[in-house]
mmCIF file of all heavy atoms in Angstrom:
data_model
loop_
_atom_site.group_PDB
_atom_site.id
_atom_site.type_symbol
_atom_site.label_atom_id
_atom_site.label_comp_id
_atom_site.label_asym_id
_atom_site.label_seq_id
_atom_site.Cartn_x
_atom_site.Cartn_y
_atom_site.Cartn_z
ATOM 1 N N ALA A 1537 33.540 31.303 106.598
ATOM 2 C CA ALA A 1537 34.580 31.918 105.777
ATOM 3 C C ALA A 1537 34.987 31.038 104.609
ATOM 4 O O ALA A 1537 35.410 31.540 103.567
ATOM 5 C CB ALA A 1537 35.811 32.226 106.637
ATOM 6 N N LEU A 1538 34.872 29.723 104.761
ATOM 7 C CA LEU A 1538 35.422 28.814 103.752
ATOM 8 C C LEU A 1538 34.381 27.929 103.063
ATOM 9 O O LEU A 1538 34.471 27.665 101.866
ATOM 10 C CB LEU A 1538 36.486 27.929 104.417
ATOM 11 C CG LEU A 1538 37.281 26.979 103.527
ATOM 12 C CD1 LEU A 1538 38.009 27.737 102.416
ATOM 13 C CD2 LEU A 1538 38.284 26.182 104.358
ATOM 14 N N LEU A 1539 33.385 27.468 103.800
ATOM 15 C CA LEU A 1539 32.485 26.438 103.273
ATOM 16 C C LEU A 1539 31.601 26.912 102.116
ATOM 17 O O LEU A 1539 31.526 26.228 101.082
ATOM 18 C CB LEU A 1539 31.624 25.874 104.403
ATOM 19 C CG LEU A 1539 30.724 24.709 104.003
ATOM 20 C CD1 LEU A 1539 31.557 23.462 103.745
ATOM 21 C CD2 LEU A 1539 29.704 24.422 105.083
ATOM 22 N N PRO A 1540 30.885 28.039 102.225
ATOM 23 C CA PRO A 1540 29.995 28.427 101.116
ATOM 24 C C PRO A 1540 30.746 28.616 99.800
ATOM 25 O O PRO A 1540 30.244 28.232 98.737
ATOM 26 C CB PRO A 1540 29.381 29.750 101.607
ATOM 27 C CG PRO A 1540 29.476 29.679 103.102
ATOM 28 C CD PRO A 1540 30.755 28.958 103.378
ATOM 29 N N TYR A 1541 31.950 29.163 99.877
ATOM 30 C CA TYR A 1541 32.740 29.388 98.657
ATOM 31 C C TYR A 1541 33.134 28.053 98.029
ATOM 32 O O TYR A 1541 33.038 27.867 96.808
ATOM 33 C CB TYR A 1541 33.986 30.207 98.994
ATOM 34 C CG TYR A 1541 34.719 30.724 97.776
ATOM 35 C CD1 TYR A 1541 34.334 31.925 97.172
ATOM 36 C CD2 TYR A 1541 35.782 30.022 97.222
ATOM 37 C CE1 TYR A 1541 35.005 32.403 96.043
ATOM 38 C CE2 TYR A 1541 36.455 30.482 96.096
ATOM 39 C CZ TYR A 1541 36.060 31.679 95.512
ATOM 40 O OH TYR A 1541 36.712 32.149 94.394
ATOM 41 N N THR A 1542 33.550 27.109 98.864
ATOM 42 C CA THR A 1542 33.935 25.778 98.369
ATOM 43 C C THR A 1542 32.738 25.082 97.730
ATOM 44 O O THR A 1542 32.852 24.480 96.651
ATOM 45 C CB THR A 1542 34.491 24.924 99.525
ATOM 46 O OG1 THR A 1542 35.616 25.590 100.101
ATOM 47 C CG2 THR A 1542 34.904 23.549 99.046
ATOM 48 N N ALA A 1543 31.582 25.143 98.401
ATOM 49 C CA ALA A 1543 30.374 24.499 97.873
ATOM 50 C C ALA A 1543 29.993 25.090 96.515
ATOM 51 O O ALA A 1543 29.633 24.354 95.580
ATOM 52 C CB ALA A 1543 29.225 24.669 98.861
ATOM 53 N N LYS A 1544 30.087 26.402 96.377
ATOM 54 C CA LYS A 1544 29.731 27.065 95.115
ATOM 55 C C LYS A 1544 30.658 26.601 93.993
ATOM 56 O O LYS A 1544 30.212 26.301 92.882
ATOM 57 C CB LYS A 1544 29.814 28.582 95.286
ATOM 58 C CG LYS A 1544 29.364 29.359 94.055
ATOM 59 C CD LYS A 1544 29.413 30.860 94.295
ATOM 60 C CE LYS A 1544 28.996 31.623 93.037
ATOM 61 N NZ LYS A 1544 29.090 33.083 93.231
ATOM 62 N N ARG A 1545 31.954 26.500 94.286
ATOM 63 C CA ARG A 1545 32.908 26.070 93.260
ATOM 64 C C ARG A 1545 32.645 24.632 92.823
ATOM 65 O O ARG A 1545 32.871 24.272 91.668
ATOM 66 C CB ARG A 1545 34.347 26.183 93.781
ATOM 67 C CG ARG A 1545 34.879 27.593 93.821
ATOM 68 C CD ARG A 1545 36.373 27.596 94.120
ATOM 69 N NE ARG A 1545 37.160 27.124 92.999
ATOM 70 C CZ ARG A 1545 38.446 26.747 93.086
ATOM 71 N NH1 ARG A 1545 39.066 26.767 94.255
ATOM 72 N NH2 ARG A 1545 39.103 26.336 92.015
ATOM 73 N N MET A 1546 32.162 23.790 93.754
ATOM 74 C CA MET A 1546 31.923 22.380 93.450
ATOM 75 C C MET A 1546 30.505 22.115 92.965
ATOM 76 O O MET A 1546 30.179 20.992 92.573
ATOM 77 C CB MET A 1546 32.206 21.523 94.690
ATOM 78 C CG MET A 1546 33.652 21.551 95.148
ATOM 79 S SD MET A 1546 33.960 20.371 96.484
ATOM 80 C CE MET A 1546 33.982 18.810 95.563
ATOM 81 N N GLY A 1547 29.656 23.138 93.012
ATOM 82 C CA GLY A 1547 28.265 22.959 92.594
ATOM 83 C C GLY A 1547 27.476 22.076 93.542
ATOM 84 O O GLY A 1547 26.581 21.339 93.122
ATOM 85 N N LEU A 1548 27.782 22.155 94.838
ATOM 86 C CA LEU A 1548 27.123 21.320 95.845
ATOM 87 C C LEU A 1548 26.314 22.173 96.812
ATOM 88 O O LEU A 1548 26.620 23.355 97.027
ATOM 89 C CB LEU A 1548 28.172 20.529 96.642
ATOM 90 C CG LEU A 1548 29.029 19.532 95.853
ATOM 91 C CD1 LEU A 1548 30.114 18.953 96.754
ATOM 92 C CD2 LEU A 1548 28.179 18.421 95.264
ATOM 93 N N GLY A 1549 25.290 21.563 97.414
ATOM 94 C CA GLY A 1549 24.547 22.245 98.468
ATOM 95 C C GLY A 1549 25.352 22.240 99.763
ATOM 96 O O GLY A 1549 26.280 21.439 99.935
ATOM 97 N N TYR A 1550 24.994 23.119 100.679
ATOM 98 C CA TYR A 1550 25.716 23.153 101.953
ATOM 99 C C TYR A 1550 24.802 23.644 103.066
ATOM 100 O O TYR A 1550 23.765 24.272 102.825
ATOM 101 C CB TYR A 1550 26.956 24.052 101.856
ATOM 102 C CG TYR A 1550 26.649 25.539 101.864
ATOM 103 C CD1 TYR A 1550 26.593 26.258 103.066
ATOM 104 C CD2 TYR A 1550 26.393 26.224 100.678
ATOM 105 C CE1 TYR A 1550 26.298 27.607 103.068
ATOM 106 C CE2 TYR A 1550 26.093 27.569 100.673
ATOM 107 C CZ TYR A 1550 26.047 28.264 101.878
ATOM 108 O OH TYR A 1550 25.739 29.592 101.894
ATOM 109 N N ASP A 1551 25.205 23.329 104.293
ATOM 110 C CA ASP A 1551 24.540 23.842 105.489
ATOM 111 C C ASP A 1551 25.611 24.229 106.496
ATOM 112 O O ASP A 1551 26.617 23.527 106.640
ATOM 113 C CB ASP A 1551 23.639 22.774 106.144
ATOM 114 C CG ASP A 1551 22.324 22.603 105.404
ATOM 115 O OD1 ASP A 1551 21.583 23.595 105.301
ATOM 116 O OD2 ASP A 1551 22.063 21.484 104.934
ATOM 117 N N ILE A 1552 25.392 25.325 107.183
ATOM 118 C CA ILE A 1552 26.257 25.709 108.302
ATOM 119 C C ILE A 1552 25.528 25.336 109.587
ATOM 120 O O ILE A 1552 24.349 25.654 109.762
ATOM 121 C CB ILE A 1552 26.556 27.226 108.313
ATOM 122 C CG1 ILE A 1552 27.239 27.650 107.003
ATOM 123 C CG2 ILE A 1552 27.409 27.595 109.523
ATOM 124 C CD1 ILE A 1552 28.645 27.163 106.835
ATOM 125 N N ALA A 1553 26.228 24.661 110.468
ATOM 126 C CA ALA A 1553 25.602 24.204 111.707
ATOM 127 C C ALA A 1553 25.183 25.384 112.572
ATOM 128 O O ALA A 1553 25.914 26.365 112.705
ATOM 129 C CB ALA A 1553 26.579 23.335 112.495
ATOM 130 N N LYS A 1554 23.990 25.257 113.146
ATOM 131 C CA LYS A 1554 23.621 26.163 114.224
ATOM 132 C C LYS A 1554 24.580 25.862 115.379
ATOM 133 O O LYS A 1554 24.908 24.708 115.638
ATOM 134 C CB LYS A 1554 22.176 25.875 114.640
ATOM 135 C CG LYS A 1554 21.615 26.827 115.671
ATOM 136 C CD LYS A 1554 20.193 26.387 116.033
ATOM 137 C CE LYS A 1554 19.623 27.272 117.135
ATOM 138 N NZ LYS A 1554 18.297 26.765 117.590
ATOM 139 N N HIS A 1555 25.059 26.896 116.047
ATOM 140 C CA HIS A 1555 26.080 26.734 117.089
ATOM 141 C C HIS A 1555 27.338 26.083 116.512
ATOM 142 O O HIS A 1555 27.959 25.217 117.137
ATOM 143 C CB HIS A 1555 25.556 25.895 118.261
ATOM 144 C CG HIS A 1555 24.290 26.406 118.877
ATOM 145 N ND1 HIS A 1555 24.213 27.636 119.498
ATOM 146 C CD2 HIS A 1555 23.057 25.867 118.954
ATOM 147 C CE1 HIS A 1555 22.987 27.822 119.942
ATOM 148 N NE2 HIS A 1555 22.260 26.768 119.612
ATOM 149 N N ALA A 1556 27.714 26.532 115.300
ATOM 150 C CA ALA A 1556 28.851 25.917 114.604
ATOM 151 C C ALA A 1556 30.122 25.935 115.429
ATOM 152 O O ALA A 1556 30.922 25.004 115.392
ATOM 153 C CB ALA A 1556 29.093 26.647 113.277
ATOM 154 N N GLU A 1557 30.305 27.003 116.219
ATOM 155 C CA GLU A 1557 31.571 27.151 116.957
ATOM 156 C C GLU A 1557 31.725 26.146 118.090
ATOM 157 O O GLU A 1557 32.816 25.967 118.622
ATOM 158 C CB GLU A 1557 31.710 28.590 117.485
ATOM 159 C CG GLU A 1557 30.739 28.984 118.587
ATOM 160 C CD GLU A 1557 29.343 29.366 118.090
ATOM 161 O OE1 GLU A 1557 29.080 29.231 116.881
ATOM 162 O OE2 GLU A 1557 28.538 29.806 118.923
ATOM 163 N N VAL A 1558 30.609 25.473 118.479
ATOM 164 C CA VAL A 1558 30.704 24.470 119.556
ATOM 165 C C VAL A 1558 30.202 23.102 119.083
ATOM 166 O O VAL A 1558 29.800 22.274 119.886
ATOM 167 C CB VAL A 1558 29.929 24.917 120.824
ATOM 168 C CG1 VAL A 1558 30.629 26.071 121.507
ATOM 169 C CG2 VAL A 1558 28.474 25.259 120.500
ATOM 170 N N ILE A 1559 30.256 22.847 117.768
ATOM 171 C CA ILE A 1559 29.712 21.594 117.241
ATOM 172 C C ILE A 1559 30.457 20.382 117.800
ATOM 173 O O ILE A 1559 29.871 19.310 118.016
ATOM 174 C CB ILE A 1559 29.727 21.597 115.694
ATOM 175 C CG1 ILE A 1559 28.870 20.468 115.138
ATOM 176 C CG2 ILE A 1559 31.135 21.548 115.154
ATOM 177 C CD1 ILE A 1559 27.404 20.590 115.395
ATOM 178 N N SER A 1560 31.765 20.519 118.076
ATOM 179 C CA SER A 1560 32.516 19.385 118.633
ATOM 180 C C SER A 1560 32.027 19.044 120.033
ATOM 181 O O SER A 1560 31.874 17.866 120.385
ATOM 182 C CB SER A 1560 34.012 19.702 118.668
ATOM 183 O OG SER A 1560 34.547 19.693 117.374
ATOM 184 N N SER A 1561 31.790 20.058 120.841
ATOM 185 C CA SER A 1561 31.287 19.815 122.198
ATOM 186 C C SER A 1561 29.899 19.183 122.146
ATOM 187 O O SER A 1561 29.565 18.316 122.966
ATOM 188 C CB SER A 1561 31.241 21.119 122.992
ATOM 189 O OG SER A 1561 32.525 21.702 123.070
ATOM 190 N N ILE A 1562 29.085 19.614 121.190
ATOM 191 C CA ILE A 1562 27.764 18.999 121.001
ATOM 192 C C ILE A 1562 27.928 17.516 120.664
ATOM 193 O O ILE A 1562 27.223 16.656 121.187
ATOM 194 C CB ILE A 1562 26.981 19.733 119.889
ATOM 195 C CG1 ILE A 1562 26.605 21.147 120.343
ATOM 196 C CG2 ILE A 1562 25.726 18.950 119.500
ATOM 197 C CD1 ILE A 1562 26.079 22.039 119.229
ATOM 198 N N GLY A 1563 28.892 17.224 119.789
ATOM 199 C CA GLY A 1563 29.150 15.834 119.414
ATOM 200 C C GLY A 1563 29.536 14.978 120.597
ATOM 201 O O GLY A 1563 29.088 13.833 120.725
ATOM 202 N N VAL A 1564 30.353 15.529 121.500
ATOM 203 C CA VAL A 1564 30.751 14.782 122.701
ATOM 204 C C VAL A 1564 29.532 14.542 123.591
ATOM 205 O O VAL A 1564 29.326 13.439 124.117
ATOM 206 C CB VAL A 1564 31.846 15.536 123.483
ATOM 207 C CG1 VAL A 1564 32.216 14.778 124.757
ATOM 208 C CG2 VAL A 1564 33.088 15.733 122.627
ATOM 209 N N ALA A 1565 28.707 15.573 123.753
ATOM 210 C CA ALA A 1565 27.538 15.458 124.635
ATOM 211 C C ALA A 1565 26.541 14.418 124.135
ATOM 212 O O ALA A 1565 25.865 13.766 124.933
ATOM 213 C CB ALA A 1565 26.854 16.816 124.774
ATOM 214 N N LEU A 1566 26.445 14.260 122.812
ATOM 215 C CA LEU A 1566 25.429 13.369 122.240
ATOM 216 C C LEU A 1566 25.983 12.001 121.838
ATOM 217 O O LEU A 1566 25.234 11.153 121.355
ATOM 218 C CB LEU A 1566 24.790 14.029 121.010
ATOM 219 C CG LEU A 1566 24.055 15.344 121.266
ATOM 220 C CD1 LEU A 1566 23.468 15.877 119.964
ATOM 221 C CD2 LEU A 1566 22.960 15.172 122.306
ATOM 222 N N ALA A 1567 27.266 11.776 122.050
ATOM 223 C CA ALA A 1567 27.882 10.519 121.606
ATOM 224 C C ALA A 1567 27.317 9.328 122.375
ATOM 225 O O ALA A 1567 26.957 9.424 123.541
ATOM 226 C CB ALA A 1567 29.393 10.583 121.788
ATOM 227 N N MET A 1568 27.254 8.200 121.684
ATOM 228 C CA MET A 1568 26.807 6.947 122.273
ATOM 229 C C MET A 1568 28.020 6.130 122.691
ATOM 230 O O MET A 1568 29.106 6.273 122.130
ATOM 231 C CB MET A 1568 26.006 6.145 121.245
ATOM 232 C CG MET A 1568 24.795 6.860 120.692
ATOM 233 S SD MET A 1568 23.418 6.863 121.853
ATOM 234 C CE MET A 1568 22.754 5.228 121.543
ATOM 235 N N VAL A 1569 27.811 5.255 123.665
ATOM 236 C CA VAL A 1569 28.849 4.285 124.010
ATOM 237 C C VAL A 1569 29.034 3.362 122.803
ATOM 238 O O VAL A 1569 28.067 2.928 122.183
ATOM 239 C CB VAL A 1569 28.451 3.456 125.248
ATOM 240 C CG1 VAL A 1569 29.515 2.403 125.549
ATOM 241 C CG2 VAL A 1569 28.242 4.370 126.446
ATOM 242 N N ARG A 1570 30.282 3.085 122.473
ATOM 243 C CA ARG A 1570 30.563 2.287 121.278
ATOM 244 C C ARG A 1570 31.705 1.332 121.582
ATOM 245 O O ARG A 1570 32.661 1.694 122.273
ATOM 246 C CB ARG A 1570 30.951 3.207 120.119
ATOM 247 C CG ARG A 1570 31.386 2.484 118.837
ATOM 248 C CD ARG A 1570 31.865 3.508 117.812
ATOM 249 N NE ARG A 1570 32.510 2.872 116.672
ATOM 250 C CZ ARG A 1570 31.944 2.662 115.497
ATOM 251 N NH1 ARG A 1570 30.707 3.038 115.283
ATOM 252 N NH2 ARG A 1570 32.605 2.084 114.508
ATOM 253 N N ASP A 1571 31.611 0.114 121.078
ATOM 254 C CA ASP A 1571 32.751 -0.796 121.093
ATOM 255 C C ASP A 1571 32.672 -1.681 119.864
ATOM 256 O O ASP A 1571 31.593 -1.910 119.309
ATOM 257 C CB ASP A 1571 32.812 -1.639 122.368
ATOM 258 C CG ASP A 1571 34.254 -1.802 122.848
ATOM 259 O OD1 ASP A 1571 35.133 -2.024 121.984
ATOM 260 O OD2 ASP A 1571 34.504 -1.685 124.060
ATOM 261 N N VAL A 1572 33.827 -2.103 119.420
ATOM 262 C CA VAL A 1572 33.933 -2.876 118.183
ATOM 263 C C VAL A 1572 34.737 -4.134 118.458
ATOM 264 O O VAL A 1572 35.793 -4.077 119.092
ATOM 265 C CB VAL A 1572 34.635 -2.059 117.070
ATOM 266 C CG1 VAL A 1572 34.721 -2.875 115.786
ATOM 267 C CG2 VAL A 1572 33.907 -0.752 116.823
#
Side-chain angles (χ1 to χ4, degrees):
L1538 185 58
L1539 185 71
Y1541 191 85
T1542 302
K1544 184 178 178 182
R1545 284 190 72 195
M1546 296 187 75
L1548 298 174
Y1550 75 90
D1551 282 300
I1552 301 290
K1554 185 182 176 186
H1555 305 297
E1557 69 280 5
V1558 290
I1559 194 67
S1560 288
S1561 301
I1562 292 169
V1564 178
L1566 298 180
M1568 302 283 279
V1569 177
R1570 175 185 170 101
D1571 219 318
V1572 181

